[in-house]
């Protein structure tokens, strides 16, 4: 993962996901952490994308909160945070999509789409909320035009 090719907003989301995982005493940074912070964006971009893609953002929030509540937490330890393989796959997919589209930076829209595509159980949460990768891609194209 090359953080230099991530937009400032995407970098902030990744840092917030790390902080969330540490605050909840989770040992692994999972796609659910990243999804949670994307769903909490101040301007609601990810929620709007989900809604435009035909999904239910409120269900995505509820299901993500429930999934995070089920993750094991650790007591003590060094506070070291490890990257789950699914999270690495999300970053790789987002970077590949940005490169394929000719984008200079990986954006939060790309991260959200990558979660839906390669996010393991977080992808399932989005699917249950009515979100598809194709729907997110179309919604992102529509928002960019506007």
């Amino acid at each position: 993962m090359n953080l230099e090719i991530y937009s400032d907003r995407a970098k902030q989301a990744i840092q917030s996901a790390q902080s969330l995982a540490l605050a909840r005493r989770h040992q692994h940074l999972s796609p659910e952490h990243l999804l949670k912070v994307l769903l909490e964006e101040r301007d609601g971009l990810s929620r709007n994308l989900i809604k435009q893609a035909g999904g239910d953002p409120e269900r995505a929030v509820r299901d993500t909160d429930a999934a995070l509540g089920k993750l094991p937490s650790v007591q003590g330890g060094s506070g070291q945070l490890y990257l789950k393989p699914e999270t690495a796959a999300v970053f790789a997919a987002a970077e590949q999509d940005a490169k394929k589209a000719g984008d200079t930076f990986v954006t939060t829209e790309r991260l959200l789409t990558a979660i839906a595509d390669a996010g393991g159980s977080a992808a399932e949460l989005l699917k249950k909320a009515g979100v598809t990768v194709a729907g997110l891609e179309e919604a992102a194209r529509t928002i960019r035009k506007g």
Side-chain angles (χ1 to χ4, degrees):
M1 181 171 127
N2 178 9
L3 272 178
E4 295 299 314
I5 64 169
Y6 285 74
S7 69
D8 289 341
R9 189 174 174 149
K11 287 179 194 175
Q12 183 179 20
I14 294 166
Q15 290 171 340
S16 294
Q18 291 171 328
S19 295
L20 174 63
L22 289 171
R24 290 186 175 223
R25 299 178 185 234
H26 295 154
Q27 193 171 19
H28 293 98
L29 178 63
S30 70
E32 290 84 353
H33 294 106
L34 189 55
L35 179 57
K36 172 71 173 166
V37 299
L38 290 174
L39 291 169
E40 291 180 340
E41 288 176 316
R42 279 187 298 235
D43 66 359
L45 176 62
S46 292
R47 286 181 187 227
N48 288 337
L49 284 171
I50 289 170
K51 195 172 198 171
Q52 281 198 348
D56 180 357
E58 297 309 317
R59 176 160 185 189
V61 169
R62 283 191 312 271
D63 290 353
T64 302
D65 285 338
L68 285 170
K70 293 177 184 177
L71 293 177
S73 61
V74 294
Q75 299 296 323
S78 64
Q80 180 70 32
L81 194 59
Y82 300 96
L83 201 64
K84 285 189 85 170
E86 295 89 354
T87 310
V90 165
F91 293 138
E95 290 174 19
Q96 184 178 26
D97 287 348
K99 185 176 182 179
K100 189 170 32 173
D103 291 345
T104 306
F105 294 103
V106 175
T107 62
T108 55
E109 303 98 277
R110 295 257 183 240
L111 287 174
L112 181 63
T113 303
I115 291 169
D117 184 35
S121 58
E124 288 300 314
L125 296 174
L126 287 172
K127 187 176 179 181
K128 288 179 184 174
V131 179
T132 64
V133 173
L136 284 175
E137 289 172 346
E138 182 59 33
R141 276 192 294 276
T142 301
I143 285 178
R144 286 186 184 142
K145 288 177 187 174

